Amino acid sequence: MVKSKGKKPSQAKSEKVHKGMRLVTSQVCEVCKTPCARGMAYAARMREPGAIGKGVPCILTKVK
């Protein structure tokens, strides 16, 4: 009797591509060549005294 070897893991599963956007700070949004509504709203909130921010996802900085 021959035992089955089972499925081998395909290379596509082991090398998954994670797509996402980088977080950028308000300084980056203010000097951006193509400003977006989300970035400009974030930059305006960060101009307030005492504002604390960790960044906003930038649609122009998509990563694989």
Side-chain angles (χ1 to χ4, degrees):
M1 234 171 126
V2 177
K3 292 184 179 180
S4 68
K5 295 182 181 180
K7 289 187 176 181
K8 292 183 181 179
S10 64
Q11 290 181 355
K13 289 184 180 179
S14 63
E15 297 177 13
K16 289 185 179 180
V17 177
H18 297 283
K19 294 182 181 179
M21 295 179 269
R22 291 188 181 141
L23 292 176
V24 295
T25 60
S26 59
Q27 291 110 7
V28 175
C29 286
E30 289 179 3
V31 296
C32 183
K33 293 179 182 178
T34 54
C36 61
R38 183 192 295 178
M40 292 295 103
Y42 176 70
R45 284 195 314 263
M46 291 300 109
R47 283 190 214 111
E48 300 285 325
I52 298 173
K54 296 185 179 180
V56 65
C58 181
I59 192 106
L60 303 173
T61 58
K62 289 185 179 179
V63 293
K64 289 186 179 180

